[in-house]
């Protein structure tokens, strides 16, 4: 079943009033909602006539719901089953588009149905009995269908993103309209892929009322454009933890739209990367960006690894080969970061034509902060260009291991400040750690005083665009290279690997300038 609507889950504050509900409805309409859920149990009202007025004056088609088994505050304890039934019966009498009732009381409501309203019978599936299974969900759907429901809704608690496939199976094979979503930040993919697998509705929130695990209406309309998604849409995503900071969904989805490619790129909050790739083996899951902290472990998930990525020991891009379904790993971080640094140095040295045949990094001391997946890519790239590579990391053993791999030097993290102070100008500093990333934007791996030893400072962090490290470096006169440039360059290569066609570079650069 093709999804044509975005549903706003309207969950006002516990002390919400009718006027606040109306304001939320107006915001939802302005942000592109097709439908709004009116959670009457979340509101304060003194008489049923207030609910009647709200329903009659709704500015959007609506779902009216009243959680009979939920008491949000002590004051709500007086909202008895009788009150809830009264509200839901009123909604039926007023021919509201949809009325949602809980499975436990569905028969109490359905016997009153004598209107054009469609009944949604809902159930919240906890993980007390373990992760959801196809058999468990299938049995529950059959029981809910026996009530005479027009539409069935499952809200499923999950612990991991690998718990989602049974939900997708239910959406694909259910013979009645089904809303099935996972709760929480690890379930957001179930919302975004609902249209692909046949989900009846997709839930979103207004930007001023964020809810963990739910995308905003603005992102649904402008970034994911779910009305375009169908059963043939290829799925791509960012495998990372954390994942919410990334701008990749904006870039890749809008780039797909720009060239007319039928794909969707979604955030994938992954705890166990090996288990993730064991779980998602369907050919429709066609490609992945790999982020913190999975770039090294992801190498073991690939059937084949590109020679450069193999030598680095980290992949940031995995593509499922269409011909045989095998996973092929690549590293686009290496060239993206090193060429961004080289181009910045060459721009400064534009008048010195005699050095253009070799890398401007050659012979320089290249100090790298961070020995994770991104750090490994940068270290191998710098060594390949002829730099003296010095690596520091909070875990000194990791720094030493990477230094051995690139024939470089390891520096204890606590010596970074003095190392910078004792060396002359002309060095390059590259931050490949997460220090300075949102929300800790006031942090920097190196003090402003120590930065005076560096000719160029690069920060792989791109959220925010102008990190504390780059601000300090710019103020003391160093060349600064933002992680945004690395982000753009690696993303362009990823797009080509994902789609098999060239990336719209001018479009992507303009988009990043607007969004990052």
């Amino acid at each position: 079943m093709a999804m044509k609507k975005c549903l706003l889950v309207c969950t006002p504050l516990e002390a919400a009033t009718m006027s606040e509900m109306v304001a939320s409805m107006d915001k939802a309409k302005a942000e592109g909602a097709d439908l709004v859920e009116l959670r009457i149990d979340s509101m304060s009202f003194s008489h049923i006539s207030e609910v009647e007025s709200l329903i009659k004056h709704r500015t959007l088609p609506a779902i009216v719901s009243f959680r009979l088994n939920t008491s949000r505050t002590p004051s709500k304890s007086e909202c008895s089953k009788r009150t809830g039934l009264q509200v839901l019966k009123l909604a039926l009498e007023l021919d509201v588009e949809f009325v949602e009732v809980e499975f436990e009381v569905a028969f109490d409501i359905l016997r009153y149905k004598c209107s054009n309203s469609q009944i949604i019978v809902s159930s919240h599936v906890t993980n007390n009995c373990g992760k959801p299974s196809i058999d468990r969900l299938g049995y529950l759907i059959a029981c809910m269908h026996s009530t005479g429901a027009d539409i069935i809704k499952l809200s499923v608690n999950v612990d991991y993103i690998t718990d989602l496939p049974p939900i997708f199976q239910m959406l694909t094979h259910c013979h009645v309209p089904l809303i099935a979503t996972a709760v929480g930040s690890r379930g957001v993919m179930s919302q975004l892929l609902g249209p692909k697998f046949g989900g009846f509705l997709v839930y979103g929130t207004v930007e001023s009322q964020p809810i963990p695990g739910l995308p905003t209406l603005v992102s649904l309309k402008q970034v994911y454009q779910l009305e375009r998604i169908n059963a043939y849409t290829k799925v791509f995503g960012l495998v990372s933890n954390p994942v919410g900071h990334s701008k990749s969904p904006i870039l890749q989805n809008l780039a797909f739209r720009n060239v007319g490619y039928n794909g969707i790129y979604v955030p994938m909050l992954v705890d166990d990367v090996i288990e993730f790739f064991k779980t998602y083996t369907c050919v429709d899951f066609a490609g992945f960006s790999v982020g913190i902290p999975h770039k090294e472990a992801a190498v073991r998930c690939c059937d084949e690894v590109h020679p450069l990525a193999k030598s680095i020991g980290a992949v940031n891009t995995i593509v499922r080969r269409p011909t045989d379904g095998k996973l092929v790993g690549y590293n686009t971080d290496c060239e993206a970061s090193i060429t961004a640094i080289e181009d910045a140095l060459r721009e400064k040295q534009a008048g010195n034509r005699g050095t253009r045949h070799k890398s401007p990094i050659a012979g320089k001391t290249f100090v790298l902060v961070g020995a994770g997946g991104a750090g490994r890519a940068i270290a191998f790239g710098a060594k390949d260009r002829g730099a003296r590579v010095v690596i520091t990391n909070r875990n000194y053993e990791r720094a030493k291991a990477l230094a051995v791999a690139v024939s470089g030097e390891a520096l204890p993290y606590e010596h970074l400040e003095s190392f910078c102070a004792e060396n002359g100008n002309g060095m390059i500093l590259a931050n490949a750690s997460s220090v300075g990333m949102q929300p800790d934007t006031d942090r920097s791996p190196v003090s402003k005083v120590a930065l005076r030893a560096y000719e160029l400072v690069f920060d792989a962090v791109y959220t925010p665009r102008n990190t504390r490290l780059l601000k300090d470096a710019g103020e003391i006169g160093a060349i600064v290279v933002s992680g945004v440039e690395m982000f753009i360059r690696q993303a362009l290569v990823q797009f080509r690997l994902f789609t098999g066609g060239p990336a719209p570079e001018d479009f992507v650069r303009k988009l990043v300038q607007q969004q990052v």
Side-chain angles (χ1 to χ4, degrees):
M1 181 182 299
M3 191 285 302
K4 295 298 182 184
K5 297 181 178 178
C6 293
L7 169 65
L8 168 71
V9 179
C10 189
T11 52
L13 299 175
E14 293 173 352
T17 63
M18 292 291 173
S19 61
E20 289 172 332
M21 183 69 87
V22 172
S24 294
M25 204 183 319
D26 290 341
K27 288 180 182 177
K29 186 174 182 179
E31 292 179 13
D34 301 297
L35 192 64
V36 63
E37 180 180 6
L38 303 178
R39 282 285 306 276
I40 306 300
D41 59 291
S42 71
M43 299 174 3
S44 298
F45 60 94
S46 57
H47 193 271
I48 193 70
S49 61
E50 296 176 53
V51 178
E52 181 176 0
S53 177
L54 174 68
I55 294 174
K56 285 183 175 179
H57 294 92
R58 64 191 183 276
T59 56
L60 280 170
I63 295 174
V64 170
S65 64
F66 193 107
R67 302 291 192 268
L68 299 176
N69 298 325
T70 300
S71 178
R72 289 179 170 265
T73 66
S75 64
K76 291 294 181 182
S77 61
E78 298 178 6
C79 290
S80 63
K81 179 178 179 180
R82 179 182 298 179
T83 304
L85 292 175
Q86 186 181 14
V87 167
L88 296 174
K89 285 193 291 181
L90 173 64
L92 290 172
E93 292 170 3
L94 296 175
D95 273 345
V96 170
E97 289 78 11
F98 300 93
V99 176
E100 180 180 332
V101 301
E102 293 162 293
F103 177 39
E104 293 79 4
V105 295
F107 288 107
D108 294 331
I109 297 298
L110 282 163
R111 60 194 176 102
Y112 293 108
K113 184 180 179 183
C114 57
S115 69
N116 295 319
S117 300
Q118 293 193 69
I119 301 293
I120 301 172
V121 174
S122 65
S123 180
H124 187 88
V125 183
T126 67
N127 50 10
N128 295 335
C129 299
K131 64 182 182 179
S133 66
I134 293 173
D135 290 342
R136 181 184 173 197
L137 296 182
Y139 176 75
L140 179 57
I141 288 173
C143 292
M144 295 169 72
H145 188 211
S146 70
T147 66
D150 297 302
I151 301 158
I152 294 170
K153 174 184 172 183
L154 297 180
S155 179
V156 186
N157 275 11
V158 298
D159 293 318
Y160 305 103
I161 196 172
T162 48
D163 296 339
L164 300 183
I167 296 175
F168 297 144
Q169 288 266 34
M170 292 299 101
L171 287 171
T172 301
H173 298 292
C174 189
H175 297 299
V176 294
L178 176 64
I179 306 165
T181 59
V183 178
S185 54
R186 285 163 177 77
V188 67
M189 187 168 72
S190 68
Q191 294 283 348
L192 299 175
L193 298 187
K196 174 177 173 61
F197 295 107
F200 185 69
L201 294 174
V202 172
Y203 291 83
T205 67
V206 293
E207 288 196 298
S208 60
Q209 297 177 2
I211 299 174
L214 289 181
T216 65
L217 283 167
V218 171
S219 69
L220 290 174
K221 289 289 187 178
Q222 298 182 6
V223 176
Y224 297 104
Q225 299 183 25
L226 297 188
E227 68 277 3
R228 298 173 178 264
I229 306 305
N230 55 45
Y232 303 102
T233 301
K234 294 296 183 183
V235 179
F236 304 87
L238 173 60
V239 174
S240 186
N241 189 353
V243 73
H245 67 282
S246 176
K247 303 299 183 184
S248 291
I250 298 175
L251 186 154
Q252 296 289 358
N253 281 303
L254 296 187
F256 287 158
R257 301 290 87 77
N258 182 265
V259 302
Y261 183 82
N262 187 10
I264 184 171
Y265 185 103
V266 301
M268 300 171 171
L269 182 56
V270 173
D271 298 283
D272 185 331
V273 69
I274 294 176
E275 187 64 25
F276 174 84
F277 282 107
K278 286 181 179 178
T279 301
Y280 290 95
T281 58
C282 173
V283 293
D284 282 352
F285 287 83
F288 311 87
S289 306
V290 183
I292 297 172
H294 301 310
K295 295 184 180 185
E296 295 168 81
V299 173
R300 304 197 301 274
C301 303
C302 299
D303 299 297
E304 297 176 17
V305 180
H306 187 272
L308 174 62
K310 184 178 290 187
S311 65
I312 293 170
V315 300
N316 76 315
T317 308
I318 296 178
V319 176
R320 193 180 304 279
R321 192 161 52 203
T323 54
D324 56 13
K326 292 188 179 297
L327 298 176
V328 184
Y330 301 88
N331 193 300
T332 66
D333 283 338
C334 180
E335 282 300 298
S337 57
I338 296 302
T339 57
I341 292 171
E342 288 177 323
D343 287 350
L345 287 170
R346 286 190 175 113
E347 185 177 347
K348 182 181 179 182
Q349 301 168 356
N352 189 354
R353 299 180 180 276
T355 62
R356 291 190 62 83
H357 68 282
K358 68 175 184 178
S359 172
I361 295 174
K364 291 185 178 293
T365 299
F366 193 105
V367 180
L368 173 65
V369 182
R376 294 187 68 87
I378 295 170
F380 274 84
K383 186 65 180 181
D384 179 69
R385 300 304 205 268
R388 171 200 174 197
V389 181
V390 179
I391 302 160
T392 186
N393 191 72
R394 289 191 182 277
N395 183 328
Y396 184 57
E397 294 304 314
R398 284 178 63 85
K400 287 199 297 184
L402 180 53
V404 170
V406 297
S407 300
E409 306 164 41
L411 177 72
Y413 194 81
E414 58 271 21
H415 294 173
L416 179 59
E417 289 287 308
S418 58
F419 179 83
C420 294
E422 292 172 0
N423 286 267
N425 292 324
M427 297 193 299
I428 295 171
L429 176 71
N431 176 40
S433 74
S434 60
V435 177
M437 182 185 294
Q438 290 177 344
D440 300 319
T441 56
D442 61 336
R443 298 178 60 207
S444 174
V446 183
S447 72
K448 188 173 182 179
V449 172
L451 287 174
R452 296 186 182 280
Y454 294 95
E455 177 185 7
L456 180 144
V457 175
F458 166 79
D459 198 340
V461 172
Y462 69 89
T463 52
R465 172 193 293 268
N466 196 17
T467 62
R468 170 72 179 276
L469 174 64
L470 295 184
K471 288 178 184 176
D472 289 347
E475 288 174 4
I476 58 93
I479 303 169
V480 296
V481 181
S482 169
V484 171
E485 187 58 32
M486 173 184 173
F487 171 65
I488 292 172
R489 294 180 186 217
Q490 64 83 25
L492 291 171
V493 179
Q494 280 189 341
F495 184 92
R496 178 177 57 78
L497 291 171
F498 288 160
T499 66
E505 182 170 353
D506 291 342
F507 173 81
V508 167
R509 287 190 172 277
K510 182 178 179 180
L511 178 64
V512 171
Q513 292 298 322
Q514 296 170 344
Q515 298 288 341
V516 180

